[in-house]
Each structure stands twice: as C-alpha cells, then as structure tokens.
Amino acid sequence: MTVRVRFAPSPTGMFHVGGARSALQNWIYAKQQGGVFVLRIEDTDAARNKPEWTEGILSALDWIGISRGSYEGPYFQSANAGEHRAAAARLNESGRAYYCDCTREDVQARTGSQYQGYDGYHRDRGLGPGPGHALRFRTPDEGTTVVVDLIRGEPTFENKLIEDFVIARGDGSPVFLLANVVDDMTMGITHVIRAEEHLPNTPKQQLLWEALGAKPPIWAHVPVVVNEKRQKLSKRRDKVALEAYRDEGYLAGAMRNYLMLLGWAPSGDREIVPWSVIEDEFRLDEVNLSSAFFDEKKLRAFNGEYIRALPVAEFIDACQPWLTGTGTIAPPPWQPEEFDADAFAAVAPLAQTRIAVLSEIVPNVDFLFLASPLIDEAAWTKTMKDGSAALLDDAVAAFEALESWDAESLKSTLEAVGAERGLKLGKTQAPVRVAVTGRTVGLPLFESLEVLGRERTLTRMRAARLRLV
C-alpha cells in the first residue's frame, strides 16, 4: 500500500503557522514512508475565498521547503462537488441518511434546551427532499466507534452520544464533513494527520467512510498550538501568519526547525538541528499529547542562531530585500542610488552577530546610506548632556589630526580625549555615536566610523555640535 497523506487548507486568509506545522508533519511522514503528499485546497466557501489566498498558500509552502511540483495537486474541493452530491444521494438511498426540516428553534422547543443535540425527530417520518430539507446521517443507536490514532491510541466514542448530524444543507449542498470524507476517498488518502481540534469530528467521519463502503484512514491528531495563555492561536488575537514572519526576516530553516518542535523533539538535549536530522528522526508516535506553546521569543532566538550560522556571503544576499526594498517588504529610508554595496559588505559581519531577524538590518546600517543620520530624539536628550559640546569639539580636533583613518586609531584617539576629562571610553563615545549614527546602540562604533569615512564622520559631528549651541 502506498501511503498517501494530504494537507487541505482553506484559502480564507493568511497562512496559519499551525497549518504550516501540519503541512511539514505530513510532508515528512510521506517522505519517510516513500509515499505521496497531496495538496487539496478546500475552496467551497465561495464567499470567503480569494485567488490571492490560494497563491499565498502555495508561496508559503514554497518558502518552508514544500515546493511546487514536488507534491500531487493542488486539487480544488469545488471541482469534486458532483461526487459530494452523489455520495449524499447514495447514503439517502441506502437508508443511512434521511431528510429533516427541523430548525434549531424546533429542536430547542422539543428538548427544552439550547444545548441538547438533535433528537432524531424525523428519523422514521419519511420526509422527502425539498427546499429547507437538510439531509442527516443516521447514526447507529448502539455500539461504539473506535478511532485508530497513531498519537492518541484508540479513542472510543459511544454511538448513542453522537447525534444524527447534517451531511447536506437544505439547498442540497454537502457540508464539510461529507465533502472532506468523499475527497479523501476519491484521492486514496491512507493517513490523515491533523490538529486535535478535529478529533471530535473524527467518529462522524469514520462512520461516513464505513457507510460509503470504504476502509477509514489511519488517523493522527497532533496537539493544538496555543499562545502564552494556553489559548488556541487565533488569527484575530495572535501573530499567526507565516507570511508576516517571512516578511519580518525570519529564515525558512529556522521556522521549519521551530515548527517541528511544537509537540516533538529530536534525540538528545538539542533543539537546533539540521533539517536532515528532523526528516530522519521525526516519529508520529513520539508526538506529545499536551498542547504545544508557540513561543515567539524562542522562535526569535532560534532565528538569531540561524542568522549567525550563515556564511557572510549568504547573509549579505539574505538582507538584500530589506536593503533594496524589493517585493512586498517596506522600502528602506534611503534611495536606491544611495546604497553602497561595498560599505554594507564591510559591516555585514558586524551586523550579522547583532540581529535576530533580517528586517533589523535597516536601523543598524541606515546611517551609512543617508546624507544625515535619523536622530532618535530620546537618545539625543539622554546622551547630549552638559559637557557634550566641548567633548565633541575636542573629538573633532583629534580626529582631524589623524594620519590613519582606521578603527584602532579612532579608538585610541577618543580614549585619550576622554582620559583628559576623566571619562571612560563608554561615556566618551556615547555623544559621538549619537552624532554620527543617531542612536545610542548599534554596530561597533569605530569600525562604523572607519567605513563611514573621515569627511562624513566629521561633518556629522560638527552638525551635532552646532545643534548644541
């Protein structure tokens, strides 16, 4: 038997990080088993679907390493609508489903509760199809439905506690439960790997598989992804869009690595590991049962490690979208003709050790490419105290006299200026840094001044001095 797994997102918004994790788990499992990964776009909610959302799914999968052409599909659920309706008809004809015209208010009136499920009122009343007549599945009155789950064992559900659920609406259109089952059957899906939030629907889907004369797939329900308050990640409340992390400058390798740790861990006391190790060691039956905490701070730390591990040339290339303003990323504060590739290459090794996401490269190097620095006013107020004007005067004079404009000479010269005033280097260089870069923190100062050059450095220091008059 060839293992066939599927990833079936809906094109109704940005690509959720939880969905990305499910896609990766399915992808790895298929690869381990010599099987097939199928991409199915569940696009039957026409009111909410947009073509750009589908393209967003494909692009996001590309980014995390599931590239187009390496999987089967994408298929579109809407293209299988005829099979969905045919399956509903077969279930009705076989007696496994029946029509019902009860409204929710009707059920509440009979049961006396808005929380009690459907009471089977139309089971044996012989109602035929018609406007407003929903088709309900006839759940067995007795016995149990056992779900074989690679992660959760064999969850067992009493059939009498499963209401006769709707499989086709009053207008004849099949609901998600039936469409999902029919699509999986049509595509020969053997394993369904998805989040545990779908587990309550699984016995219903398994009953549909059996009623349609097919063997159910093997299930694997992975833990739901939650925020720091242990609430399920929400698009409305949490930062969950994979594209947002990509555009902020997270590396695909770091994101892949981190997502796979949500509910699972590689062998040994390690978390940051090569992707080949994850592909080799991941096991569905080793996935934890407890909810997986998506810790953005931890992801950020992961990403910083991945950035620092890049060869410098790859780091320079990775920064280009933020330096040049290409794609969907916000343009930098300088004009294209102001960007100096050689200057950036000179400071790139320094910047690489100081940023956690690639978008942070801009505020670290913008002073190199602007006619004048972007002054952080809070930093200016905090740093430019009494005595700063005289210190800048002395520093300018000392720098003007330098024969060699290099980091070591600049450092020793400014140390001497500070020593005459009884100041340590940290206190001495603070006004110079703000004058030249506009900020109190950033790349190593003297290496930055070396790259910026004598003329531009002195011009900025003089301008700062005049502002202090």
Side-chain angles (χ1 to χ4, degrees):
M1 176 187 71
T2 299
V3 167
R4 291 176 61 83
V5 302
R6 50 79 165 172
F7 177 58
S10 298
T12 56
M14 303 296 276
F15 195 49
H16 197 290
V17 291
R21 181 194 62 163
S22 293
L24 288 169
Q25 291 169 332
N26 276 278
W27 174 259
I28 291 178
Y29 187 76
K31 189 171 183 179
Q32 289 175 339
Q33 303 300 318
V36 178
F37 176 96
V38 178
L39 176 62
R40 182 173 75 232
I41 306 297
E42 300 197 332
D43 62 337
T44 51
D45 188 349
R48 298 177 62 202
N49 296 339
K50 295 181 181 180
E52 56 266 34
W53 295 135
T54 296
E55 177 56 33
I57 291 170
L58 301 180
S59 297
L61 290 176
D62 281 340
W63 183 64
I64 59 173
I66 303 177
S67 58
R68 294 174 226 212
S70 64
Y71 50 79
E72 190 176 301
Y75 298 111
F76 291 87
Q77 189 172 68
S78 57
N80 211 24
E83 288 294 327
H84 304 157
R85 290 179 178 271
R90 291 201 306 274
L91 291 170
N92 180 48
E93 292 165 2
S94 67
R96 297 304 304 271
Y98 61 92
Y99 285 99
C100 168
D101 65 356
C102 293
T103 64
R104 181 172 300 178
E105 290 73 21
D106 292 336
V107 176
Q108 290 179 6
R110 286 197 303 271
T111 62
S113 171
Q114 60 177 318
Y115 304 108
Q116 189 166 329
Y118 178 67
D119 58 356
Y121 179 79
H122 274 292
R123 262 195 165 210
D124 301 306
R125 294 179 180 269
L127 185 67
H133 294 189
L135 189 63
R136 289 184 177 271
F137 183 76
R138 189 186 299 270
T139 304
D141 294 317
E142 300 177 348
T144 60
T145 296
V146 179
V147 173
V148 178
D149 193 298
L150 294 177
I151 296 172
R152 300 174 186 279
E154 295 186 354
T156 301
F157 301 84
E158 292 188 59
N159 291 334
K160 66 181 181 181
L161 299 180
I162 303 173
E163 69 174 3
D164 289 355
F165 52 93
V166 173
I167 58 174
R169 303 177 184 88
D171 62 2
S173 61
V175 302
F176 167 79
L177 282 175
L178 180 61
N180 192 266
V181 167
V182 172
D183 289 343
D184 285 347
M185 290 174 58
T186 303
M187 297 174 185
I189 301 303
T190 62
H191 294 69
V192 173
I193 304 167
R194 60 187 184 181
E196 66 175 303
E197 63 198 75
H198 297 287
L199 184 58
N201 285 330
T202 304
K204 298 177 182 179
Q205 292 178 309
Q206 184 155 309
L207 287 169
L208 286 171
W209 275 81
E210 294 166 351
L212 289 168
K215 181 182 178 181
I218 295 172
W219 311 92
H221 289 90
V222 299
V224 69
V225 182
V226 299
N227 62 19
E228 60 186 4
K229 296 180 179 179
R230 294 304 185 267
Q231 301 167 320
K232 177 187 170 185
L233 286 185
S234 165
K235 290 182 179 180
R236 292 183 297 274
R237 181 185 57 237
D238 303 304
K239 183 180 174 181
V240 300
L242 190 71
E243 298 93 327
Y245 289 100
R246 178 193 63 195
D247 292 349
E248 190 176 339
Y250 284 82
L251 300 179
M255 180 61 78
R256 278 201 311 261
N257 188 162
Y258 182 71
L259 288 175
M260 288 303 297
L261 297 182
L262 297 177
W264 174 82
S267 61
D269 186 19
R270 54 184 181 162
E271 292 185 310
I272 297 178
V273 295
W275 183 245
S276 59
V277 171
I278 293 176
E279 286 188 320
D280 182 59
E281 293 191 3
F282 176 70
R283 297 291 183 274
L284 276 174
D285 59 6
E286 294 177 0
V287 171
N288 297 327
L289 295 179
S290 56
S291 299
F293 170 35
F294 186 87
D295 186 346
E296 189 177 344
K297 292 180 180 178
K298 186 173 183 178
L299 171 60
R300 180 181 170 84
F302 262 57
N303 201 66
E305 292 291 334
Y306 270 81
I307 286 177
R308 289 186 283 278
L310 289 174
V312 174
E314 290 186 20
F315 172 72
I316 291 173
D317 286 343
C319 289
Q320 292 308 305
W322 288 269
L323 299 173
T324 60
T326 56
T328 60
I329 298 166
W334 55 81
Q335 297 300 312
E337 62 272 14
E338 296 177 297
F339 177 66
D340 184 336
D342 291 336
F344 177 67
V347 300
L350 305 175
Q352 187 173 1
T353 64
R354 286 166 171 77
I355 66 174
V357 293
L358 293 174
S359 59
E360 291 176 346
I361 195 62
V362 171
N364 273 276
V365 302
D366 59 4
F367 70 96
L368 287 172
F369 313 123
L370 296 170
S372 58
L374 298 173
I375 300 295
D376 179 341
E377 294 300 332
W380 178 278
T381 301
K382 178 180 179 181
T383 305
M384 298 303 190
K385 305 288 188 180
D386 292 341
S388 293
L391 190 153
L392 286 173
D393 283 337
D394 290 349
V396 167
F399 283 172
E400 284 177 327
L402 277 176
E403 293 184 5
S404 176
W405 190 265
D406 59 79
E408 190 57 41
S409 298
L410 289 162
K411 179 181 178 182
S412 60
T413 298
L414 195 59
E415 277 183 318
V417 169
E420 292 179 0
R421 297 172 170 276
L423 299 175
K424 293 184 178 180
L425 182 59
K427 292 288 187 180
T428 307
Q429 71 178 12
V432 176
R433 178 183 290 279
V434 172
V436 174
T437 72
R439 298 179 175 86
T440 55
V441 295
L443 305 185
L445 176 62
F446 303 107
E447 287 81 355
S448 298
L449 300 184
E450 179 179 342
V451 175
L452 186 64
R454 184 192 301 264
E455 181 180 348
R456 297 176 73 194
T457 297
L458 294 176
T459 296
R460 293 181 182 191
M461 291 174 67
R462 294 186 187 109
R465 173 64 183 85
L466 289 174
R467 182 176 172 179
L468 291 172
V469 172

